Amino acid sequence: MLSKKKIIDFYISVSKIRKSEEKLIELNPEQEMRCPHHYAIGQEVVAAGVCVNLNDKDQIFSSHRCHGHYIAKGGCLKSFMAELYNKVTGCTEGKGGSMHLIDTKKGMMGSHGVVGTNIPIALGASFYLKYKKKKNLSVVFFGDGGADQGVLYESLNFAALKKLPILFVCENNGFASFSHISSRHAQKDISLRVSNFGLKSFKLDGNNPVLFLNKIEKIISYIKKNNKPVFVEAKVNRFMAHCGQGEDIGPGLRSKNDLNKMRNSDPLVSLQKYLITKKLLNKENIKLIDEKIDFEIQAAVSYAKKSKLPGKKDLFKNVLA
Amino acid sequence: MLSKKKIIDFYISVSKIRKSEEKLIELNPEQEMRCPHHYAIGQEVVAAGVCVNLNDKDQIFSSHRCHGHYIAKGGCLKSFMAELYNKVTGCTEGKGGSMHLIDTKKGMMGSHGVVGTNIPIALGASFYLKYKKKKNLSVVFFGDGGADQGVLYESLNFAALKKLPILFVCENNGFASFSHISSRHAQKDISLRVSNFGLKSFKLDGNNPVLFLNKIEKIISYIKKNNKPVFVEAKVNRFMAHCGQGEDIGPGLRSKNDLNKMRNSDPLVSLQKYLITKKLLNKENIKLIDEKIDFEIQAAVSYAKKSKLPGKKDLFKNVLA
Amino acid sequence: MRKLSYLDAIREGIQQSMQKDDSVFVYGEGIEIASGPFGVPLNLEKEFGSKRIFDVPLSEASMTGLGIGAAINNLRPIMIHFRLDFTLLTLDQVFNAASKIHYMFGGKLKCPIVIRATVGQGWGQGPNHSQAFHSIYSHFPGMKVVLPSSPYDAKGLMIASVFDNNPVLFLEHKSLYNSVGLVPKKFYKVKIGNANVLETGNDLSLLGFSSMLPLMKKVSRELKKKKINCDVIDLRSSYPLDKITILNSVKKTGKLVVFDIDWSFCGVSAEVSAFVSEKIGSKLKSNIIRITPPHVSHPVSYALEKYFYPNENDVLKKIYKIL
Amino acid sequence: MRKLSYLDAIREGIQQSMQKDDSVFVYGEGIEIASGPFGVPLNLEKEFGSKRIFDVPLSEASMTGLGIGAAINNLRPIMIHFRLDFTLLTLDQVFNAASKIHYMFGGKLKCPIVIRATVGQGWGQGPNHSQAFHSIYSHFPGMKVVLPSSPYDAKGLMIASVFDNNPVLFLEHKSLYNSVGLVPKKFYKVKIGNANVLETGNDLSLLGFSSMLPLMKKVSRELKKKKINCDVIDLRSSYPLDKITILNSVKKTGKLVVFDIDWSFCGVSAEVSAFVSEKIGSKLKSNIIRITPPHVSHPVSYALEKYFYPNENDVLKKIYKIL
Ligand SMILES: Cc1ncc(C[n+]2csc(CCOP(=O)(O)OP(=O)(O)O)c2C)c(N)n1
Ligand SMILES: Cc1ncc(C[n+]2csc(CCOP(=O)(O)OP(=O)(O)O)c2C)c(N)n1
Ligand SMILES: [Mg+2]
Ligand SMILES: [Mg+2]
């Protein structure tokens, strides 16, 4: 059973991701954050639902669309904003940018811009956790595009073979940049596709926040208890363009109408409704939470803006360890 | 229903593979064939059963263990022997050796020494066949080790997505060089593993020659009729070592006893028995067939021995087309 | 003659190749869709249909094999990558198969595949969205590697690549996409392996590739003010190198600066430098200079990119030392 | 001091590393089994258990990721490939991740993985079982690349590689496996980046790697008969290069021959040549010579291998021309 605290933490996480992204969109016209942005708006439930069940020693790995995962895992918001502003105080000191976020103290072990590349690296992290007899798990987030890569299948097999504590999370938003899943997958049910690799696989609805949270809590405790891998496909809707400020409306992509439908079933809104209906929070509580988040985000932006840019010496730092 | 002619051609093919390999083993002490040999002895049924259902315009692709596939597809025996003898009259003029056999006239489109690499190349051939509206198919042979490679899963998906005429044949002998399948696969049933990729998949017994022939005939005509890919896992026994003259007996490998059991259920012998029992051939017929094969092999060996070695100029031939 | 952008010239090269020969086909991730990255849209589906231009899964390794298997059957695939970086997923297919197929099968097969890829730069593309490593493609026997710097070359080299019988890496540079130049309407090839002498001078040879050309021209202009006249030569392909043009230029000037967008360590710039000094070292009037990014990964921050990519002032400083 | 074979020395280096630190583990295809290829058996399972030494599927790409994910968590993986050729399947993991991880995450992670691989040669190994392409590993920033030529170095460089905090390619050569030499019993490191001066002479510098050393020594012996004395220097690592030792030698002799098992075009041999001529070109008394296989794939036939691999006579002929 979900605790009240967990549901509220979950809401805070969803809201923080949404509001951070909206802030990025708002600030975009300044053209000061010079790196590609892949927004997670619409998909926040998955990052938040998974990470609210993890502790700092659990490790997560992510892809180009990583803002949400970083924030959900508790990654420092100041370092995040500073990184997006290309500053030396950013989480990679201006080296990695928006697609290579990291906060090792929080168990956010890095995101990668090459699709699928992080999947076996997360596998290695789960290998480490088992090797050192830690009671933790490793999680890798990737998209339906990530499921096109052969390393996924290699990694599923190995995770099952060695009984590693890893959760594979495929956020299926139906697109890989400009390719619809139907032009890439013979068989669109990804959880079914992998169902005979020797590990459990589930299909969850990332648009139904509480149901998702409920199920993912059980899955994560199954992994921790049994030291076994699990695969989860989460169906989600991406509200923004693949990259940047647009909406990716057009032939071969999606219609304005479809997008409106998505926005009308916004999981953030339905989560708020649920909280209120179930009397877990009232409107006032929600407002307070959101204001606190706004405040934190604003502080991070100020920090980022005030921070210094890296200098020539920094270019030659950390080439070899 | 299998025609008498097909069964006899099938026998000829199995026997020719066996006898060619045995000749290589016999000649090995000369140390004149200087390249690694991966014998198919014990596994011949798969190559023969598939290829007896193909014509010269159907294309096959193979791996390091390719002698059988080359011979079954009708590859020139002289060019084969000459290649193994490192001669300029060999099928690759001494460039590729035992792991890179080719006879394009017969639709043997090349074998590759890197495990799995040929799988998507065969996919490309099937793409070509469909593109040019040919009534043919492409076949790729690989081992259970080949099934470890991510490109297989990428290729299965694409073949199913584009409805390509391709037969994936996984010859599962339970080993990848010195690794038993149980130390590599979480889930040992390979045909099951791939069953949800959007194409049909079958598990066949490569040790039961006539049953295999029966089923593979139907599968190949299904592919030709429907322009759709199929995956076949064929369980087989490898009698020889992974590479060379030995038997690979030892801890972690297999026991003498196990090997004897394999040899005692030799598919070549059971095929001969079947032919005789069903009165398709009598002992005398078989003897005549086998003598003809011996003769052909001997001629190929003589040709190879008499052929010239490549010279310095040949080293620089065919670098660019 | 009309003017076309670099990007439109590539598109036209592809289009005319497809018109010329129906065994030419094109595929890549998201290329069917009108709004592709950097406006790379091809808009060729209407003309040629989804049989000849199509979208593929993010399965770079097997999709390279797809092209190889088609190419050995005399089709002429053009595989499109939005970043050269992603081709690192495909190098088994490229170097264990494509580049060797003609040789290792004794000439029985040819593999005329074009691997078209973009080098990114700017706007925080960073460590694995900006790499140029055509050196490693040039290192393996059996490959050709072309790097157009102008719209004219972009079209002509694309057509030459498509109709070449070897695997060709066709490497574009994002910063050149909007540059505009004269491009004939007709179907034409630019021969692979011929350098292009853009300016002539007796004092210094500036040789280089791709997006280095604008920098080289700026440097030449600056030097001209000081009465120093340069050969400015676009090498156009890193394999094969146009050895004759290179030697002729350096024999004349005695001083060589090699520009590349790839790193220098074991890079094409090292090869050009080694080749020249091994051939005519005693005729050199000063040490060769290589102008390339330093031996570090591509940083995201624009503040660091400033130091990472060679700039005019630094180049001039280095050149003044050898004058 | 005892004598050990090159192969046993590597084994002992691995064994002592595992004894020293239980975060060292080893994995590769078929390595658990006593009768591995070329007798590479490690026989370490009894001592360390299958947790620390284990067999893996033929999934080179993801198995490289496995090591990376472990390494960023401070384990010290040794991944074994029986052929360098097969690492072409892994280069996305190696160059888009391992070599960049320290840099692109601003120093937050280290990636101490050892990639151990063999270069094949002879007995028809052919085009994709014999390649040496450490140049491309040396090309990408963030990697180290070592190539031991003696049993002593094999052990010491293995230990140094395991305890280095960067990804290291440890490249062995099949033809050296049975060579025997003095190897201390103790745990010791050979510093990565230090060349080894094996012979000294004032007339000619012979620099090279790995299995080129036996050839270089033969050449030196032959030249000594003609009163020509050589520096014979084992460069030991292709990244970092020991620039000081290289320059000191060539400054002294004025004549350089670079030997490598990799191709020369954009190879490490090109880098050494370019580096030397750019630094002290004017002090050179003759053109630099690169001794490498020609720009073709590795043929299978022994009749062709004879011309493919550099041999003493051809090398001497080339050297006589510059004396
Ligand atoms: C190997 C690789 N191929 C292509 C790209 C270019 N690219 C960046 S994101 C993306 C789409 C990824 O789709 P998906 O995995 O579903 O994630 P989503 O963007 O939908 O969250 C593509 C094709 C890349 N980064 N890496
Ligand atoms: C990518 C790659 N990894 C490793 C090897 C070394 N190797 C050659 S054959 C082989 C075993 C292959 O097993 P399988 O695919 O089952 O074929 P089999 O030998 O059993 O017929 C291995 C590991 C290789 N050639 N290619
Ligand atoms: Mg997606
Ligand atoms: Mg097998």
Side-chain angles (χ1 to χ4, degrees), chain A residues 148-151 153-154 156-157 160-162 181-187 189 192-198, chain B residues 148-151 153-154 156-157 160-162 181-187 189 192-198:
Chain A
D148 299 0
Q149 293 288 2
V151 284
Y153 304 92
E154 298 180 357
L156 292 175
N157 173 53
L161 178 70
K162 297 286 179 185
I181 189 163
S182 61
S183 65
R184 295 180 293 110
H185 288 211
Q187 202 279 71
D189 189 331
L192 176 63
R193 205 206 264 197
V194 306
S195 60
N196 290 317
F197 274 74
Chain B
D148 299 1
Q149 293 288 2
V151 283
Y153 304 92
E154 297 181 356
L156 293 175
N157 172 54
L161 177 69
K162 296 287 179 183
I181 189 163
S182 60
S183 65
R184 296 181 291 112
H185 289 211
Q187 202 278 71
D189 190 331
L192 177 63
R193 204 206 266 198
V194 306
S195 59
N196 290 318
F197 274 75

Side-chain angles (χ1 to χ4, degrees), chain A residues 38-40 43 63-66 69 99 112-117 142-149 170-179 184 236 238 241-243, chain C residues 29-30 37 56-60 81-83 85-87 89 128-129, chain D residues 92 96:
Chain A
H38 300 89
Y39 300 114
Q43 308 189 179
S63 66
H64 58 291
R65 198 174 305 288
C66 54
H69 307 128
M99 295 193 285
H112 272 263
V114 183
V115 172
T117 298
F142 51 95
D144 47 308
D148 299 0
Q149 293 288 2
C170 177
E171 295 182 44
N172 183 353
N173 58 17
F175 282 97
S177 58
F178 308 101
S179 297
R184 295 180 293 110
V236 290
R238 162 164 63 72
H242 164 62
C243 185
Chain C
E29 290 155 14
V56 295
L58 278 66
S59 305
E60 281 86 353
H81 294 275
F82 286 131
R83 305 284 175 187
D85 314 67
F86 309 152
T87 69
L89 285 156
N128 44 38
H129 279 60
Chain D
D92 169 58
N96 276 333

Side-chain angles (χ1 to χ4, degrees), chain A residues 148-150, chain B residues 117 119-121 123-124 150-158, chain C residues 27 57-69 79 89-90 93:
Chain A
D148 299 0
Q149 293 288 2
Chain B
T117 298
I119 297 172
I121 297 177
L123 183 78
V151 283
L152 172 61
Y153 304 92
E154 297 181 356
S155 302
L156 293 175
N157 172 54
F158 194 81
Chain C
Y27 63 105
L58 278 66
S59 305
E60 281 86 353
S62 65
M63 290 303 97
T64 305
L66 183 85
I68 298 171
M79 178 176 187
L89 285 156
T90 72
Q93 290 293 323

